[in-house]
């Protein structure tokens, strides 16, 4: 497969497409039908070594000498090329991940927007002057870490490349990217577009492969000065431990069990699309998915009925059929989600969508499922499912809502639906989450909005201007001049 000139069975190192040194490849499976989409490189430690060396060369060469304005121009050019190739990128993402084509198309636009945002921000990151002792001038500088390692998941490859690699390049770092072995085609395509846009060789390198091989080698590499990871809690712990041996900072964006809290005075007509869509987007395979709906008791039955009516109309099918829900990324993920559904056998199923009758038998399909009558301590209300599954939980009053909403080990996103302005402000302060939305959820992706969590949802912030601070280190200069 060579759309956009990429070689899926190769790594991009130092600006060139090269075979993995082991010569090994992996099958990339189409989740819509279970067939082999193509082969990808099975990169490993030797390939990571070469990529880190190429990144260091770029820092010592033209990329390290580029001004902030020059870096911004390159990112702007990348963003323009992304838009020029939007249809190809969307189809690649849809087939690779399994998401409906309309969702993949939205991801392309988000990737372009990240490039535009960080292109404009590249020369806006300033230091400060600090009043100090007589005879001194003291100022601070924001400098790149150096070589940054990026391990991205399979659910939103383009968006996470944009918010992670985009911010790292804008601040002058050189990147080594390890995409998920389940979905890496748009990562390779993006790297090719970056080459065409004039990004110097080695400023961005891509090494596909297994997490236990290429990923582990990247996080433990002594030549990597910062690690950015989005993925599961378990792997996040492994990455943080590995990076600790080199005393390297880590940004972790992990899982979530994000609630939407619906009070008795909520505008249900406005809320309803958000209540459902935020749980089923990308087949629920979203860290910030709203998998818990908390509803005040006197409107509980009404909300469950309204959501159930929407669920009953949902259809799941192949990515290119562009329905409400696509397949899960793999049959392995399907097995995990079906295992959770079995754990909910004691619960009331309020409604289910349907998998269309002519969906390929080899596809990883799960019907969207809505559970009612769920207690806050049930496993379906506590654990991240990463599938098209939502639970509806009743609450008595504001204090009860806060206790339930904050009653998991996660803290990524939360939402509150109420017309009471004072309650909105109280809930925004009381909800334990990195992002809180009032009478909305997700704000259209929010490229400009800092994103990250607390607890098992990780630490550090991506997106927006705040991400630039994470990809730089602060230097203080104190000049004595008498």
């Amino acid at each position: 497969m060579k759309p956009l000139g990429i070689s899926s069975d190769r790594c991009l190192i130092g600006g060139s497409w090269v075979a993995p040194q082991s010569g090994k490849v992996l099958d990339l499976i189409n989740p819509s039908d279970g067939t082999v989409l193509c082969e990808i490189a099975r990169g490993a430690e030797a390939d990571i070594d070469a990529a880190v060396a190429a990144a260091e060369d770029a820092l010592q060469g033209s990329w390290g000498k580029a001004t902030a304005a020059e870096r911004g121009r390159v990112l702007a050019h990348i963003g323009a090329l992304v838009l020029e190739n939007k249809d190809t990128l969307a189809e690649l993402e849809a087939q690779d991940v399994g998401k409906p084509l309309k969702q993949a198309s939205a991801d392309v636009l988000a990737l372009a927007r990240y490039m535009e945002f960080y292109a404009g921000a590249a020369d806006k990151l300033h230091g400060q002057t600090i009043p100090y002792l007589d005879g001194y001038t003291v100022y601070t500088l924001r400098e790149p870490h150096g070589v940054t390692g990026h391990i991205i998941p399979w659910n939103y490859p383009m968006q996470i490349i944009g918010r992670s690699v985009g911010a790292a390049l804008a601040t002058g770092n050189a990147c080594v990217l390890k995409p998920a072995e389940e979905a890496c085609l748009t990562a390779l395509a993006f790297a090719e577009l970056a080459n065409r846009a004039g990004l110097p060789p080695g400023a961005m390198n891509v090494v596909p492969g297994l997490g236990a091989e290429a990923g582990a080698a990247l996080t433990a590499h002594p030549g990597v000065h910062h690690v950015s990871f989005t993925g599961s809690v378990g792997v996040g712990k492994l990455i943080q431990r590995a990076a600790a041996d080199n005393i390297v900072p880590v940004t972790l964006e992990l899982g979530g069990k994000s609630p939407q809290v619906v009070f008795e005075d909520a505008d249900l007509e406005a809320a309803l699309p958000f209540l459902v869509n935020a749980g089923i987007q990308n087949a629920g395979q979203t860290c910030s998915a709203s998998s818990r709906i908390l509803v005040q008791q006197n409107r509980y039955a009404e909300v469950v009925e309204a959501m159930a009516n929407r669920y009953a109309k949902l259809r799941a099918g192949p990515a290119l059929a562009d329905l409400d829900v696509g397949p899960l990324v793999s049959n392995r993920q399907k097995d995990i989600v079906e295992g959770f559904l079995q754990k909910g056998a004691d619960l009331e199923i309020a409604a289910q969508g349907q998998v269309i009758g002519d969906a390929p038998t080899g596809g990883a399909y799960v019907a969207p499922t809505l559970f009612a009558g769920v207690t806050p301590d049930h496993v379906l209300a506590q654990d991240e499912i990463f599938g098209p599954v939502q639970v509806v939980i009743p609450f008595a009053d504001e204090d009860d809502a806060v206790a339930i909403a904050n009653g998991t080990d996660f803290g990524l996103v939360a939402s509150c639906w109420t017309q009471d302005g004072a309650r909105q402000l109280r809930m925004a302060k009381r909800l334990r989450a990195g992002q809180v939305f009032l009478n909305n959820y997700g704000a259209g992706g929010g490229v400009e909005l800092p994103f990250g969590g607390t607890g098992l949802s990780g630490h550090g912030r991506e997106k927006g201007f705040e991400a630039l601070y994470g990809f730089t280190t602060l230097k203080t200069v104190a000049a004595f001049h008498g």
Side-chain angles (χ1 to χ4, degrees):
M1 178 177 288
K2 293 192 175 183
L4 298 178
I6 67 172
S7 298
S8 63
D9 60 350
R10 297 186 173 234
C11 308
L12 183 73
I13 298 176
S16 300
W17 294 101
V18 297
Q21 294 188 36
S22 69
K24 296 179 179 179
V25 295
L26 298 166
D27 286 340
L28 189 66
I29 304 300
N30 184 339
S32 290
D33 59 17
T35 62
V36 175
L37 197 57
C38 62
E39 291 181 335
I40 62 169
R42 182 175 173 175
E45 184 175 1
D47 307 293
I48 293 294
D49 286 341
V52 171
E56 187 60 42
D57 287 346
L59 291 173
Q60 299 305 317
S62 61
W63 187 241
K65 296 179 175 65
T67 66
E70 290 168 340
R71 295 196 300 268
R73 290 189 193 105
V74 173
L75 291 180
H77 193 183
I78 296 172
L81 290 178
V82 167
L83 290 177
E84 286 180 20
N85 293 276
K86 61 181 184 300
D87 292 339
T88 299
L89 289 169
E91 188 167 334
L92 275 180
E93 191 88 328
Q95 291 188 81
D96 206 3
V97 179
K99 63 181 62 179
L101 194 58
K102 55 180 170 285
Q103 293 179 22
S105 298
D107 288 353
V108 178
L109 298 180
L111 173 58
R113 177 66 186 122
Y114 277 115
M115 294 300 106
E116 294 164 355
F117 181 87
Y118 287 119
D123 61 355
K124 312 299 188 298
L125 187 64
H126 305 150
Q128 296 178 316
T129 57
I130 302 173
Y132 192 53
L133 301 175
D134 184 42
Y136 283 85
T137 295
V138 179
Y139 58 94
T140 61
L141 299 172
R142 283 276 172 189
E143 298 182 336
H145 289 292
V147 178
T148 54
H150 304 256
I151 300 178
I152 64 170
W154 42 259
N155 56 343
Y156 288 92
M158 286 191 290
Q159 288 214 35
I160 297 172
I161 287 170
R163 76 191 196 201
S164 174
V165 171
L169 291 175
T171 48
N173 298 281
C175 305
V176 179
L177 171 66
K178 207 298 281 186
E181 57 268 28
E182 295 91 345
C184 66
L185 293 182
T186 50
L188 296 169
F190 175 82
E192 172 62 24
L193 294 178
N195 274 355
R196 296 183 191 180
L199 190 68
M204 181 179 176
N205 308 273
V206 182
V207 180
L210 299 173
E213 297 173 355
L218 180 60
T219 56
H221 200 290
V224 172
H225 308 114
H226 179 281
V227 177
S228 175
F229 171 73
T230 300
S232 71
V233 174
V235 176
K237 291 179 180 179
L238 294 174
I239 286 173
Q240 186 155 283
R241 291 188 189 108
D245 286 340
N246 296 318
I247 316 298
V248 168
V250 179
T251 299
L252 296 177
E253 196 274 283
L254 307 176
K257 197 66 181 172
S258 300
Q260 293 195 64
V261 183
V262 183
F263 283 94
E264 60 186 356
D265 64 338
D267 181 345
L268 183 55
E269 184 178 352
L272 193 57
F274 291 90
L275 297 180
V276 175
N277 294 343
I280 64 165
Q281 181 176 323
N282 197 26
Q285 299 167 124
T286 305
C287 296
S288 56
S290 174
S291 53
R292 293 185 296 153
I293 308 299
L294 282 53
V295 185
Q296 199 154 15
Q297 286 171 343
N298 57 355
R299 296 197 72 181
Y300 183 80
E302 177 188 3
V303 172
V304 169
E305 181 180 7
M307 290 185 67
N309 288 337
R310 281 188 171 249
Y311 258 79
K313 299 173 184 175
L314 295 175
R315 295 186 303 155
L320 297 184
D322 208 19
L323 303 176
D324 304 298
V325 179
L328 298 173
V329 73
S330 65
N331 280 303
R332 176 178 177 274
Q333 185 63 23
K334 176 185 176 182
D335 290 343
I336 291 172
V337 174
E338 288 181 338
F340 275 106
L341 293 176
Q342 292 172 10
K343 294 176 182 178
D346 59 322
L347 300 175
E348 172 195 349
I349 294 180
Q352 278 188 307
Q354 61 175 329
V355 178
I356 61 173
D358 58 352
T361 56
Y365 300 103
V366 170
T369 304
L370 179 70
F371 286 97
V374 182
T375 58
D377 59 349
H378 194 284
V379 64
L380 266 60
Q382 288 289 319
D383 290 359
E384 186 177 40
I385 300 172
F386 232 56
V389 180
Q390 288 182 291
V391 300
V392 192
I393 304 170
F395 68 85
D397 54 24
E398 187 174 315
D399 287 341
D400 191 30
V402 170
I404 296 171
N406 293 343
T408 75
D409 293 326
F410 299 99
L412 193 55
V413 177
S415 174
C416 173
W417 295 88
T418 178
Q419 301 303 306
D420 185 328
R423 178 186 284 151
Q424 291 173 12
L425 298 179
R426 287 195 304 270
M427 290 296 290
K429 292 183 69 174
R430 298 181 72 186
L431 289 169
R432 184 169 59 86
Q435 285 188 331
V436 176
F437 295 98
L438 302 174
N439 292 325
N440 69 104
Y441 193 94
V447 166
E448 303 86 350
L449 310 182
F451 179 68
T454 62
L456 291 188
S457 292
H459 53 73
R461 292 295 179 264
E462 296 180 309
K463 303 172 68 168
F465 207 84
E466 191 70 24
L468 301 176
Y469 297 124
F471 280 107
T472 55
T473 184
L474 191 68
K475 177 185 285 182
T476 301
V477 179
F480 176 70
H481 42 67

